């Protein structure tokens, strides 16, 4: 029966309760953690193709594989929200390098989805892809609720950021986005990370913040030519974004275009971030932003051919 509780409540929480030997009660503590949020792309359309039994089979395989990866990096799945996953690294047990663990788990989950898609093909089920958001910071974590109904969870301003980052992936076509707080906690020599854009995560017009895509992890291995080329293109993108921020839109457009072409030529991929940013740089050459502009795209739509881009 005790083991069964681990299917409803994160197992580390169950273990802590057993070790404490006291009545559980609402309780929170401040803890610095890294939070992960993911969502399946186009899940509503996927479900419409399936009968309920097929949806259950697909989600069960997906949640099982993703949870195992999260737990292998000392993360804890807080809850499943439809097809979304919310996880924490650094609570209830402390994890020294929680940002590193969270990012490594994310990259492994992205690879894990490919394995699920091979399995889905044999089962006649549709392929899936995920978008992930990661943020690090201080939150209130612990038992939420009241005396007769509790859940383990996190609250606070930082707790909402991963879901915002996950949503931003739709704009840039990225599989993951991490905040600057997470980026600053990573060992830079092991990762290829590029800044994607400046955004207003906190809904504060005076505060711009870069968001980053984690493109690859070396993990002590010898870098291949593909790794080095991807790293070089990430650096070019970073240079273009710097020109963009400093209103040198002609130079930014040229480099974004180069990155887009080379990503397609060498990796066979459509690099949506460089295409989006190239069009914005082109638009701003024709329609310069206000003097107080801080690098954030504020128009309600993306520029298109009608704008001359």
């Amino acid at each position: 029966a005790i083991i069964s509780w681990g299917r409803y409540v994160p197992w580390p929480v169950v273990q802590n309760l057993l070790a404490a030997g006291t009545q559980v009660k609402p309780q929170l503590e401040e803890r610095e953690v890294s939070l992960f949020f993911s969502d399946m792309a186009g899940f509503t359309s996927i479900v419409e193709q399936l009968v309920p039994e097929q949806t259950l089979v697909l989600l069960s395989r997906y949640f099982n594989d993703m949870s195992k990866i999260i737990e292998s990096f000392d993360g804890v799945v807080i809850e499943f929200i439809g097809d979304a996953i919310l996880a924490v690294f650094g609570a209830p047990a402390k994890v020294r390098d929680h940002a590193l663990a969270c990012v490594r788990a994310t990259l492994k989950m992205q690879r894990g989805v490919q394995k699920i898609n091979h399995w889905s093909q044999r089962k006649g089920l549709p392929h899936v892809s995920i978008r992930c958001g990661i943020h690090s910071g201080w939150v209130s974590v612990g038992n939420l609720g009241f005396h007769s109904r509790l859940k383990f969870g996190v609250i606070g301003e930082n707790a909402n950021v991963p879901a915002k980052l996950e949503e931003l992936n739709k704009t840039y076509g990225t599989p993951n986005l991490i905040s600057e707080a997470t980026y600053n906690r990573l060992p830079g020599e092991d990762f290829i990370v590029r800044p994607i854009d400046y955004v207003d995560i906190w809904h504060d017009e005076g505060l711009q913040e870069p968001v980053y895509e984690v493109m690859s992890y070396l993990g002590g291995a010898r870098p291949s030519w593909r790794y080095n080329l991807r790293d070089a293109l990430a650096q070019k993108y970073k240079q273009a974004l710097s020109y963009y921020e400093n209103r040198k839109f002609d130079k930014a457009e040229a480099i974004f275009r180069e990155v887009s072409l080379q990503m397609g030529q060498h990796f066979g991929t459509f690099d949506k971030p460089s295409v989006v940013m190239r069009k914005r740089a082109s638009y701003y050459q024709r329609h310069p932003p206000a003097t107080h502009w801080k690098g954030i795209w504020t128009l309600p739509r993306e520029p298109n051919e009608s704008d001359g881009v």
Side-chain angles (χ1 to χ4, degrees):
I2 292 176
I3 294 177
S4 295
W5 276 110
R7 299 181 180 180
Y8 290 94
V9 181
W11 184 241
V13 177
V14 176
Q15 291 176 308
N16 284 353
L17 294 175
L18 293 174
T22 58
Q23 185 73 21
V24 63
K25 60 182 180 180
Q27 187 175 4
L28 291 172
E29 67 170 302
E30 291 295 308
R31 184 76 66 84
E32 187 183 39
V33 301
S34 288
L35 293 167
F36 166 89
F37 186 86
S38 69
D39 203 11
M40 274 191 194
F43 179 69
T44 301
S45 300
I46 291 173
V47 170
E48 290 173 351
Q49 305 173 39
L50 306 175
V51 298
E53 291 79 7
Q54 289 177 308
T55 301
L56 180 60
V57 168
L58 179 59
L59 280 178
S60 295
R61 173 63 190 267
Y62 170 70
F63 286 146
N64 176 74
D65 289 14
M66 299 299 102
S67 297
K68 285 184 176 179
I69 293 172
I70 290 169
E71 291 166 3
S72 73
F73 286 92
D74 297 323
V76 172
V77 175
I78 295 178
E79 60 182 329
F80 303 124
I81 312 166
D83 61 298
I85 299 174
L86 174 63
V88 60
F89 294 75
K94 291 184 178 180
V95 178
R96 180 180 177 183
D97 297 320
H98 49 79
L100 175 62
C102 188
V103 170
R104 288 187 61 194
T106 299
L107 295 179
K108 191 169 183 179
M109 280 187 274
Q110 290 174 188
R111 296 193 300 271
V113 168
Q114 297 174 13
K115 295 181 180 179
I116 292 174
N117 285 335
H118 292 313
W119 168 84
S120 295
Q121 188 170 3
R122 296 194 302 270
K123 297 288 186 178
L125 297 171
H127 284 199
V128 298
S129 61
I130 60 173
R131 298 182 297 259
C132 309
I134 301 171
H135 176 58
S136 304
W138 287 89
V139 297
S140 295
V141 57
N143 304 321
L144 302 169
F146 56 101
H147 68 280
S148 63
R149 186 67 180 269
L150 294 169
K151 63 166 283 187
F152 179 76
V154 294
I155 58 174
E157 187 177 36
N158 284 311
N160 302 318
V161 174
K164 296 178 183 178
L165 293 172
E166 181 278 319
E167 183 73 16
L168 277 174
N169 284 296
K170 296 179 183 179
T171 298
Y172 305 103
T174 43
N176 68 71
L177 285 174
I178 69 174
S179 67
E180 186 173 33
T182 299
Y183 171 77
N184 288 337
R185 289 168 172 80
L186 294 180
E189 65 274 7
D190 284 339
F191 291 93
I192 297 177
V193 183
R194 63 172 170 175
I196 291 297
D197 194 9
Y198 294 95
V199 300
D200 178 16
I201 292 178
W202 308 102
H203 301 297
D204 182 347
E205 293 183 1
L207 181 63
Q208 64 166 15
E209 182 173 325
V211 291
Y212 300 81
E213 177 193 7
V214 183
M215 303 178 73
S216 188
Y217 174 64
L218 192 59
R222 185 175 181 178
S224 64
W225 71 268
R226 289 174 63 87
Y227 182 93
N228 289 332
L229 178 57
R230 195 183 299 273
D231 188 31
L233 291 175
Q235 294 304 315
K236 281 185 177 292
Y237 187 102
K238 180 179 180 180
Q239 181 184 24
L241 189 63
S242 177
Y243 281 136
Y244 178 85
E245 181 192 14
N246 289 289
R247 307 171 72 99
K248 298 178 181 179
F249 298 118
D250 55 340
K251 293 183 177 180
E253 180 185 8
I255 299 177
F256 282 133
R257 185 187 301 276
E258 180 185 354
V259 171
S260 175
L261 292 173
Q262 291 199 32
M263 287 289 283
Q265 178 182 347
H266 295 291
F267 298 101
T269 57
F270 172 70
D271 189 51
K272 187 176 177 181
S274 55
V275 173
V276 168
M277 298 306 294
R278 177 190 64 77
K279 289 182 177 180
R280 291 180 182 180
S282 178
Y283 177 88
Y284 278 139
Q285 289 177 69
R286 296 163 174 79
H287 312 279
T291 54
H292 61 273
W293 181 75
K294 297 181 181 296
I296 298 175
W297 180 258
T298 56
L299 272 69
R301 62 175 179 83
E302 294 295 330
N304 54 40
E305 292 180 358
S306 66
D307 300 305
V309 301

